[in-house]
Amino acid sequence: MRLRTTLAAAVGALTLLVALPGPASAAEGTFRYVYTDIAGHPRPGELVNPESWTCITIPEAAGEYVPPAHSPRNGTTSPARVFTGPDCDGEHYTLRPGGSASERLKLRSVIFF
């Protein structure tokens, strides 16, 4: 009888553990950058509470014939690794939470971890 009760409790606990959603996986805060619009003017862009562990291609800098974004400012709670290419490809640089870089740092994608 004792084994059956223990087994039932263990199965119940496992079911609850699997059924409960995990914590949200997002970097809290705002990641800012500057991109060039179609008229050639610099414009501010931002990602608010971006998803963690997911590569994000900067939408305004995704095209092959579009200039890359620059001047990133990591106002999130997570480190951000910025890449020179879309889809988190190419050279990369990591910005700590609260870190920033000059307009010399070009980026087309970012991942938060």
Side-chain angles (χ1 to χ4, degrees), residues 2-96:
R2 199 186 259 182
L3 179 61
R4 187 178 295 164
T5 305
T6 304
L7 184 60
V11 169
L14 182 62
T15 302
L16 278 175
L17 183 63
V18 171
L20 292 175
S25 180
E28 295 180 11
T30 304
F31 179 82
R32 292 184 166 85
Y33 54 89
V34 177
Y35 68 94
T36 304
D37 69 13
I38 196 161
H41 302 279
R43 299 279 183 224
E46 64 182 21
L47 302 171
V48 179
N49 297 329
E51 199 65 33
S52 293
W53 299 106
T54 301
C55 180
I56 302 169
T57 297
I58 305 297
E60 301 90 352
E64 184 178 344
Y65 300 105
V66 177
H70 58 86
S71 307
R73 297 191 180 290
N74 185 12
T76 72
T77 56
S78 299
R81 181 164 293 152
V82 298
F83 294 83
T84 57
D87 303 317
C88 295
D89 192 28
E91 299 288 322
H92 60 85
Y93 182 80
T94 302
L95 293 171
R96 63 176 175 72

